[in-house]
Amino acid sequence: SRPDECEQTVAAGPTSPLEASEQHFCAVLETIALAGLVVDTQGCILLCNDYLLNLTGWQRQEVLGRNWVELFVPADYQQALKELFVEAMAQGDCPAHHTNEILTRSGDRRLIAWNNTFFTGPDGRIQYITSIGQDLTDQHQSDQRLQESERRLQTVAANLPGVVLRYVLSAARTETIPYISQGCTQIWELEPVQIQQQPNLLWQTVHPGDRGAMWHLIQHSGETLTPWFCEWRTVTPSGQNKWLQ
């Protein structure tokens, strides 16, 4: 039985274990909130689920029997994917994981992370490939915006006097410093990576007489979600005494 037979009406009567298994496979493919696709050894689409159709804007009758690469893969990546597909067929194996962009009917691009499984016949040759894909487009775009924001922050911070840092105090009182500008080397005589790996190094530079008040102000800021302001004395590793604000 072929995957595209899922589209056929099941005749009344006893259902064999194989038929029941195939019906269950089709039901699972349609209910998962992921793109589902089955292609043959020529790359022709045997089955695709509603999630993929809704994502790309196509109707089922418009894609069944069409070549997956030619219909859904951007032109600038088609040749590379065709070569990968031909190699997989020749070797009788296919990559378990693969990420590539696909095109919607309107021409938009979506980034999909595929998980691939191939099925072989009695002769050991691949008969068809099932791919389950997760749409990473929104996450990828969010990551790009975050990276751009971080880049702008670093550019601004590099031109500011003093130091810019992001200090995080968790509910469990765990301290982390996700970001600190290069200015920390002039103020505390410590490299950014040293402070990020060991935030306690900053506390060691705070004058013993100011640590209690400083910790209280940090806690108050976190509990009330108000801006933190403090003036304190610091002693650098070389013994310099400085006032910071």
Side-chain angles (χ1 to χ4, degrees), residues 187-189 204-208 232-242:
I187 293 182
W188 290 297
E189 300 174 2
Q204 294 177 15
T205 68
V206 178
H207 190 283
W232 73 97
R233 293 166 291 175
T234 187
V235 183
T236 69
S238 67
Q240 291 188 58
N241 290 278
K242 301 178 181 180

Side-chain angles (χ1 to χ4, degrees), residues 6 9 25 47 74 77 83 87 91 127 141 152-153 160 164 166 180 210 224-225 227 232:
C6 296
T9 302
F25 166 76
L47 176 68
Y77 190 63
E83 292 176 359
E87 182 180 358
Q91 296 180 354
Q127 290 189 326
Q141 292 176 346
R152 290 198 300 267
L153 173 61
L160 289 175
V164 176
R166 183 179 298 140
I180 186 167
D210 295 340
T224 60
L225 300 179
W232 73 97

Side-chain angles (χ1 to χ4, degrees), residues 51 55 99 101 104 108-113 134-147:
Y51 184 97
L55 181 67
T99 300
E101 289 183 326
T104 67
D108 293 331
R109 295 192 177 208
R110 308 295 298 185
L111 183 65
I112 310 295
Q134 179 181 5
D135 186 4
L136 302 180
T137 309
D138 294 340
Q139 176 185 330
H140 180 67
Q141 292 176 346
S142 178
D143 290 343
Q144 286 185 318
R145 288 194 294 269
L146 178 60
Q147 291 173 8

Side-chain angles (χ1 to χ4, degrees), residues 138-199:
D138 294 340
Q139 176 185 330
H140 180 67
Q141 292 176 346
S142 178
D143 290 343
Q144 286 185 318
R145 288 194 294 269
L146 178 60
Q147 291 173 8
E148 176 61 20
S149 177
E150 292 285 355
R151 187 193 65 77
R152 290 198 300 267
L153 173 61
Q154 292 177 17
T155 300
V156 171
N159 293 283
L160 289 175
V163 62
V164 176
L165 65 87
R166 183 179 298 140
Y167 173 86
V168 179
L169 180 64
S170 71
R173 295 295 187 265
T174 300
E175 299 172 297
T176 56
I177 300 179
Y179 173 80
I180 186 167
S181 67
Q182 193 63 39
C184 63
T185 57
Q186 294 183 340
I187 293 182
W188 290 297
E189 300 174 2
L190 296 168
E191 293 294 329
V193 65
Q194 290 179 279
I195 296 173
Q196 288 180 301
Q197 292 177 350
Q198 302 181 67

Side-chain angles (χ1 to χ4, degrees), residues 29 35-39 114-117 129-133:
L29 200 63
L37 174 75
V38 181
V39 300
W114 298 103
N115 297 281
N116 306 309
T117 303
I129 298 174
T130 297
S131 299
I132 304 298

